[in-house]
Amino acid sequence: MTWKIRSANREDLPRLEAFLTEAGVSPEGLSESIENFSLMENTAGELKACLGVEPVGKAGLLRSFVVSPQIAQPDLMLLFKRAFLTAKNQELDELYLVTNKMSAVSFFGSLGFEMVNQSELPEELLEHSHLKQVLTVDNSAIMKIIL
């Protein structure tokens, strides 16, 4: 299957909110950072995956990583490369993510992310509302990559 990866824009907001909501992911704060989201679509323009970078000081928080089942792992690598480029264009030094899916930790590790403790997070990031929300989920793992 051929996928198209592109940056989201304001016109994508309603459909991206619906995509996230359907997946059980909060779209809170999406409108403030919509331009930092990468979308993966099929040739018919149907949204199949997304990933956002939310800048917080010199760090970034990866968020709203949602993937349809038909997307293969090698295709996801392209989505992450796009997110890394977005972060570098924003002059971010590092990216963080939080997951409660332990099966995803090895995938993120293959991209270069490493586990970190909450105490290692930048203060600005600890105050971020989205991060506070996801850290309340049981079995959360925090991971970091230096860009």
Side-chain angles (χ1 to χ4, degrees):
M1 169 74 54
T2 302
W3 307 108
K4 175 182 167 187
I5 300 175
R6 65 175 182 85
S7 296
N9 57 51
R10 290 261 164 230
E11 291 76 36
D12 294 310
L13 195 54
R15 122 181 137 113
L16 185 52
E17 284 177 339
F19 185 70
L20 293 174
T21 301
E22 185 178 321
V25 175
S26 171
E28 183 184 334
L30 180 62
S31 61
E32 291 85 25
S33 59
I34 187 74
E35 293 85 8
N36 294 326
F37 271 75
S38 296
L39 307 179
M40 182 178 275
E41 301 169 320
N42 64 15
T43 53
E46 297 169 321
L47 188 54
K48 295 298 178 181
C50 66
L51 178 61
V53 175
E54 198 157 331
V56 182
K58 294 301 282 177
L61 179 63
L62 286 182
R63 58 167 293 187
S64 307
F65 177 48
V66 176
V67 182
S68 297
Q70 62 266 46
I71 307 293
Q73 188 167 324
D75 295 321
L76 292 179
M77 300 289 196
L78 298 174
L79 191 63
F80 273 87
K81 284 182 182 179
R82 174 78 176 229
F84 294 159
L85 282 173
T86 298
K88 286 181 181 180
N89 288 339
Q90 298 261 339
E91 299 181 0
L92 302 179
D93 296 329
E94 53 199 10
L95 284 174
Y96 292 85
L97 65 83
V98 180
T99 184
N100 66 338
K101 296 177 176 61
M102 291 304 117
S103 60
V105 169
S106 62
F107 169 72
F108 294 132
S110 72
L111 294 170
F113 284 89
E114 296 179 355
M115 298 281 283
V116 295
N117 293 318
Q118 187 170 338
S119 62
E120 297 174 62
L121 294 173
E123 193 63 38
E124 284 180 288
L125 208 53
L126 281 170
E127 297 302 316
H128 191 272
S129 62
H130 182 72
L131 184 68
K132 283 181 180 178
Q133 179 186 6
V134 296
L135 285 176
T136 63
V137 177
D138 288 340
N139 302 317
S140 294
I142 306 168
M143 301 185 80
K144 166 187 170 178
I145 189 170
I146 296 175
L147 299 171

